[in-house]
Amino acid sequence: DVEEEQKLLQRAMRMRLEQEEEMRELNRLFLNARCNMIRDKQVLEKQMIHKELAEEEKRLEKILKMEWEKGMEVQEELERCRKQELIRARQHIVKQMEQNAEERALRAKELHQEGQKQLEHLEQMKREERKVWEQKQEQKRKIFAEIQRFNVESQRLKDQQQEQERLEEKRVLEQQQEKDEREAALQAEQEKLHLEKEKELAQLRAKQEQAQDWQAELDALKAKRNQEAADREWRQQELEKAQ
């Protein structure tokens, strides 16, 4: 019975150790899968950020190009209008001078006034053109400032992402280290329990052997007493027969 009990106990211990080994293997596989998932997620986030930055840079370049083309068109249109106004003014002056020499002086004054108006008009056009050009330049400066701000923010986000990745890797390593320490402590505790169990079993076997020795002594004493009683009874019967 004791040998059968020891075999059952050893089998139970082997099954327990095998289950613990399977649990450690499952934990290792789960940790590897989680690490791979985190790494894939970080790579995907990096790719999305790079893609968004590239698209935003293309969009800003397109806007700058469109604004520059619009500014050139406005400048060309203003130059064409100014030339047409000058041509019409000159043609009108020549025509008036050819029509009537007597009216030339009077008309010259009027034409001078009209020329002054035309000049003022041209100056006004130039001022408006200059204002438009300055507005375009101011808009370009704002766009460039926005691009620089965007680049600074992108670099900040990139640095923040790298810092988060570093902290995440550090946290995973710390968790793995804590897990290894817990497993080592658990294994040490299990070994300690195993030794204590073995000690208890040894003490139990010693007690059982002692109990068996006591029982053997009791059986021997009982047999001796029974034999002595039988001998007395036999002697008594012999005595009675002799009498």
Side-chain angles (χ1 to χ4, degrees), residues 33-224:
R34 186 170 183 273
C35 291
N36 292 330
M37 182 181 68
I38 293 173
R39 184 173 61 254
D40 294 340
K41 181 179 179 182
Q42 292 174 351
V43 171
L44 181 60
E45 290 178 352
K46 286 182 179 179
Q47 292 176 354
M48 292 297 294
I49 291 173
H50 290 322
K51 183 178 179 182
E52 291 176 358
L53 290 175
E55 291 178 354
E56 185 65 19
E57 289 179 358
K58 290 181 180 179
R59 187 181 69 83
L60 292 175
E61 289 178 358
K62 186 176 180 181
I63 292 173
L64 288 175
K65 184 177 180 182
M66 292 175 63
E67 294 297 330
W68 181 80
E69 291 177 352
K70 289 181 181 179
M72 292 299 296
E73 291 177 357
V74 171
Q75 188 173 359
E76 291 176 357
E77 181 65 22
L78 292 174
E79 185 66 21
R80 187 179 63 81
C81 292
R82 187 177 66 82
K83 289 180 179 180
Q84 289 180 355
E85 290 293 333
L86 287 174
I87 292 172
R88 284 196 296 269
R90 291 174 182 175
Q91 290 176 350
H92 183 70
I93 293 172
V94 171
K95 184 177 179 180
Q96 291 297 323
M97 291 176 66
E98 291 177 351
Q99 284 180 355
N100 196 342
E102 292 179 359
E103 297 177 357
R104 188 174 298 169
L106 181 60
R107 292 298 302 162
K109 184 177 180 180
E110 294 177 354
L111 289 174
H112 177 72
Q113 294 176 354
E114 186 175 355
Q116 291 295 325
K117 291 180 181 180
Q118 293 292 336
L119 290 175
E120 291 177 0
H121 178 66
L122 292 174
E123 291 296 331
Q124 180 65 26
M125 290 177 65
K126 288 181 179 180
R127 287 192 295 272
E128 292 177 356
E129 181 181 354
R130 179 68 180 178
K131 184 178 180 181
V132 171
W133 181 82
E134 289 177 351
Q135 290 177 353
K136 296 296 182 182
Q137 293 297 321
E138 181 64 22
Q139 188 175 6
K140 288 180 181 179
R141 285 193 295 271
K142 290 181 180 180
I143 292 173
F144 282 120
E146 184 66 20
I147 292 173
Q148 291 178 353
R149 187 192 66 79
F150 179 79
N151 291 332
V152 172
E153 183 66 17
S154 300
Q155 184 63 36
R156 187 186 68 80
L157 292 175
K158 182 178 180 181
D159 295 338
Q160 184 179 1
Q161 181 68 22
Q162 291 177 351
E163 180 65 17
Q164 290 177 354
E165 292 174 0
R166 186 185 67 79
L167 292 176
E168 181 65 20
E169 291 177 356
K170 181 179 179 182
R171 186 179 64 81
V172 171
L173 292 176
E174 290 177 352
Q175 289 179 351
Q176 181 63 31
Q177 185 177 1
E178 291 176 358
K179 180 176 178 295
D180 294 338
E181 292 176 354
R182 288 197 300 271
E183 290 180 354
L186 179 60
Q187 186 175 2
E189 183 66 23
Q190 289 175 351
E191 291 178 356
K192 181 180 178 181
L193 292 175
H194 177 68
L195 294 175
E196 292 178 354
K197 187 67 176 180
E198 290 291 336
K199 185 178 180 181
E200 291 177 359
L201 289 174
Q203 292 176 355
L204 179 61
R205 285 194 294 268
K207 289 180 180 179
Q208 288 177 349
E209 291 175 356
Q210 186 179 7
Q212 289 176 355
D213 294 339
W214 290 346
Q215 186 65 36
E217 292 177 359
L218 289 175
D219 292 341
L221 181 60
K222 184 178 180 181
K224 183 178 179 182

